[in-house]
């Protein structure tokens, strides 16, 4: 087990900046997720930890050693790839055992370690099969077992569930969550899927343009976003971001309608953020604002109303039994205790 420390880490390719002067302390036994859209620098950061990319500047520490000059094989990390990386001509046993054999572990030690790793991911009965005989989820478990068998200081996982279908992703998330608690090994996990990040992570580092925008627990980044990018990226559906201004303590939209009291200071231009969960839907005339339904979606466990108000659209979450039609009029009220104000220029959070 070991902590991972990145100090002023930068990666450039000519004028292109992949990671921009980032520092990060990943605690011993922590499950940290690097989250962000494609091209934000999350995979590049992981590859520098693994030794697959050389930093332009900065330091990578694993435990009490700076490993910038160490080869990947000498860093004592195990990586799980998006495409599994299995050897098709080998049995599942031999795939899992391969990292031990290249390190010249004795045969007497290999079998119990492989069987123990296979047991952790429920693959013992498949050890004699080839990868082609397994499902996508089973192949991903083989890749996990191959990483587990090494007992490394750090696990590095690069979007390991992205090739699976939606149902398998849910199942594998649960297995990864269970494994992380059982193994208690420092883990760095890269994904663009916010649901994976929120369900798996001890902490999440949200990245954009090579820079960490916010580092915190899933609760922190969901309930207390640092800026407009984090607010809009986290959550399904994304947070509603409505342009307007503050006048006499009320938020007034760009169209001049008073929407809800915010308690904010007078400001000529702001963006109001509110999550779909924090909007109450009621019959016309019973709430703060009457609006027309632009679209109604029933997901089974809940409903989503996209409502048209002037030139802006707002998404609100309703109960599972709510039934409305496109064109119906409803009333919405926003919870004043869960409103967020942002500067439209910088995107930074405006705190009262």
């Amino acid at each position: 087990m070991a902590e991972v420390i990145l100090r002023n880490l930068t990666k450039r390719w000519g004028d292109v900046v992949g990671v921009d002067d980032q520092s990060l302390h990943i605690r011993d036994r922590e499950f940290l997720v690097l989250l962000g859209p494609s091209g934000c620098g999350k995979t590049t950061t992981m590859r520098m930890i693994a030794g697959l990319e050389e930093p332009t500047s900065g330091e990578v520490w694993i435990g009490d050693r700076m490993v910038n000059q160490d080869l990947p094989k000498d860093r004592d990390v195990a990586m799980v790839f998006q495409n599994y990386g299995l050897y098709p001509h080998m049995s599942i046993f031999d795939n899992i055992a391969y990292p031990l054999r290249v390190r010249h572990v004795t045969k007497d030690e290999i079998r119990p370690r492989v069987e123990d790793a296979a047991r952790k991911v429920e693959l013992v009965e498949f050890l004699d099969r080839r990868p082609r005989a397994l499902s996508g989820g089973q192949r991903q478990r083989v890749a996990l077992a191959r990483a587990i068998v090494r007992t490394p200081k750090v696990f590095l996982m690069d979007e390991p569930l992205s090739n699976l279908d939606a149902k398998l992703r849910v199942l594998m998330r649960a297995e990864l969550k269970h494994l992380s608690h059982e193994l208690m090994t420092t883990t760095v996990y890269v994904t663009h899927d916010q649901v994976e990040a929120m369900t798996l992570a001890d902490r999440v580092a949200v990245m954009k343009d090579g820079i960490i925008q916010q580092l915190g627990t899933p609760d922190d980044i969901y309930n207390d976003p640092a800026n407009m990018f984090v607010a809009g990226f986290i959550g399904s559906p994304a947070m509603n971001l409505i342009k307007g201004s503050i006048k006499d303590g009320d938020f007034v939209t760009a169209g001049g309608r008073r929407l809800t009291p915010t308690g904010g200071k007078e400001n000529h231009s702001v963006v109001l953020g509110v999550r779909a969960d924090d909007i109450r839907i009621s019959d016309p005339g019973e709430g703060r604002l009457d609006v027309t339904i632009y679209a109604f979606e029933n997901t089974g466990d809940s409903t989503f109303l996209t409502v048209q108000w002037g030139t802006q659209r707002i998404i609100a979450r309703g109960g599972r039994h709510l039934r409305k039609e496109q064109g119906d009029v409803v009333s919405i009220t926003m919870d004043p205790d869960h409103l967020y104000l942002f500067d439209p220029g910088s995107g930074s959070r405006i705190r009262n």
Side-chain angles (χ1 to χ4, degrees), residues 21-160:
D21 193 29
Q22 286 306 285
S23 296
L24 178 63
H25 182 186
I26 303 166
R27 302 164 185 155
D28 183 25
R29 303 185 180 187
E30 180 177 35
F31 196 116
L32 182 124
V33 173
L34 298 174
L35 173 68
S38 297
C40 70
K42 56 189 187 294
T43 296
T44 301
T45 299
M46 173 175 283
R47 287 175 62 85
M48 287 190 285
I49 296 172
L52 302 176
E53 291 281 358
E54 184 178 350
T56 305
S57 61
E59 299 175 355
V60 178
W61 289 73
I62 297 177
D64 57 358
R65 291 179 57 219
M66 188 177 77
V67 297
N68 287 46
Q69 304 304 317
D70 291 0
L71 295 173
K73 68 181 181 66
D74 298 325
R75 297 192 181 198
D76 200 9
V77 300
M79 197 159 184
V80 180
F81 297 94
Q82 176 180 342
N83 62 357
Y84 317 140
L86 304 181
Y87 298 105
H89 63 288
M90 291 184 181
S91 68
I92 301 308
F93 182 96
D94 289 336
N95 266 280
I96 297 173
Y98 185 78
L100 301 179
R101 287 183 174 141
V102 298
R103 286 166 176 78
H104 307 295
V105 176
T106 64
K107 289 183 179 180
D108 290 342
E109 188 179 350
I110 286 175
R111 178 161 291 279
R113 287 178 65 173
V114 169
E115 290 178 348
D116 182 59
R119 193 174 298 110
K120 284 183 169 67
V121 296
E122 300 179 3
L123 284 175
V124 174
E125 61 187 287
F126 302 105
L127 289 176
D128 293 331
R129 299 188 187 182
R130 300 283 177 87
R132 64 175 176 271
L134 272 57
S135 68
Q138 289 168 332
R139 292 179 195 178
Q140 192 55 273
R141 291 208 299 271
V142 176
L144 287 170
R146 188 175 55 190
I148 291 168
V149 78
R150 283 205 36 219
T151 59
K153 289 182 179 178
V154 180
F155 286 126
L156 303 176
M157 301 188 183
D158 188 9
E159 304 203 42

Side-chain angles (χ1 to χ4, degrees), residues 1 22 26 51 56 78 124 126 133 139 146 148 184 208 220 222 236 240 254 279 294 324 349:
M1 316 304 172
Q22 286 306 285
I26 303 166
T56 305
V124 174
F126 302 105
R139 292 179 195 178
R146 188 175 55 190
I148 291 168
M184 296 297 288
K208 177 190 177 188
D220 288 339
Y222 187 85
S236 181
N240 296 290
I279 301 176
Y294 178 83
K324 294 293 180 182
R349 178 89 170 270

Side-chain angles (χ1 to χ4, degrees), residues 61-348:
W61 289 73
I62 297 177
D64 57 358
R65 291 179 57 219
M66 188 177 77
V67 297
N68 287 46
Q69 304 304 317
D70 291 0
L71 295 173
K73 68 181 181 66
D74 298 325
R75 297 192 181 198
D76 200 9
V77 300
M79 197 159 184
V80 180
F81 297 94
Q82 176 180 342
N83 62 357
Y84 317 140
L86 304 181
Y87 298 105
H89 63 288
M90 291 184 181
S91 68
I92 301 308
F93 182 96
D94 289 336
N95 266 280
I96 297 173
Y98 185 78
L100 301 179
R101 287 183 174 141
V102 298
R103 286 166 176 78
H104 307 295
V105 176
T106 64
K107 289 183 179 180
D108 290 342
E109 188 179 350
I110 286 175
R111 178 161 291 279
R113 287 178 65 173
V114 169
E115 290 178 348
D116 182 59
R119 193 174 298 110
K120 284 183 169 67
V121 296
E122 300 179 3
L123 284 175
V124 174
E125 61 187 287
F126 302 105
L127 289 176
D128 293 331
R129 299 188 187 182
R130 300 283 177 87
R132 64 175 176 271
L134 272 57
S135 68
Q138 289 168 332
R139 292 179 195 178
Q140 192 55 273
R141 291 208 299 271
V142 176
L144 287 170
R146 188 175 55 190
I148 291 168
V149 78
R150 283 205 36 219
T151 59
K153 289 182 179 178
V154 180
F155 286 126
L156 303 176
M157 301 188 183
D158 188 9
E159 304 203 42
L161 308 185
S162 60
N163 284 346
L164 305 180
D165 62 41
K167 183 177 180 180
L168 273 176
R169 281 201 300 272
V170 174
L171 294 173
M172 285 301 299
R173 279 206 313 265
E175 293 188 21
L176 278 172
K177 187 76 172 179
H178 177 78
L179 270 174
S180 69
H181 282 278
E182 184 178 353
L183 299 172
M184 296 297 288
T185 301
T186 308
T187 302
V188 183
Y189 187 102
V190 162
T191 184
H192 63 272
D193 186 327
Q194 55 167 303
V195 177
E196 287 181 22
M198 297 291 285
T199 54
L200 291 172
D202 295 322
R203 288 191 301 163
V204 180
V206 184
M207 296 188 69
K208 177 190 177 188
D209 299 331
I211 297 172
I212 295 173
Q213 303 292 307
Q214 185 171 0
L215 174 65
T217 66
D219 280 345
D220 288 339
I221 63 171
Y222 187 85
N223 295 312
D224 192 20
N227 56 41
M228 199 155 53
F229 173 79
V230 176
F233 191 78
I234 299 296
S236 181
M239 180 181 287
N240 296 290
L241 298 171
I242 309 165
K243 296 178 180 178
S245 59
I246 302 296
K247 294 182 180 178
D248 300 325
D250 284 356
F251 176 78
V252 181
T253 68
R257 294 289 302 276
R258 289 183 182 269
L259 180 55
T260 188
T262 67
K265 299 177 181 178
E266 295 294 304
N267 199 307
H268 292 297
S269 182
V270 298
V271 173
L272 175 73
V274 60
R275 296 204 178 275
D277 296 340
D278 296 319
I279 301 176
R280 182 172 61 86
I281 303 167
S282 55
D283 291 331
E286 294 183 359
R288 179 84 178 181
L289 178 69
D290 288 349
V291 290
T292 301
I293 295 177
Y294 178 83
F296 177 82
E297 301 168 273
N298 178 11
T299 63
D301 60 343
S302 61
T303 55
F304 290 101
L305 278 69
T306 302
V307 298
Q308 186 79 43
W309 185 49
T311 59
Q312 305 194 69
R313 291 174 189 156
I314 302 169
I315 300 177
R317 188 194 300 268
R320 57 185 292 197
H321 299 299
L322 180 68
R323 293 295 180 270
K324 294 293 180 182
E325 299 290 338
Q326 183 175 328
D328 287 352
V329 176
V330 295
S331 197
I332 60 173
T333 303
M334 299 180 184
D335 185 344
D337 294 328
H338 294 89
L339 300 178
Y340 307 85
L341 295 177
F342 303 96
D343 182 278
S346 66
S348 59

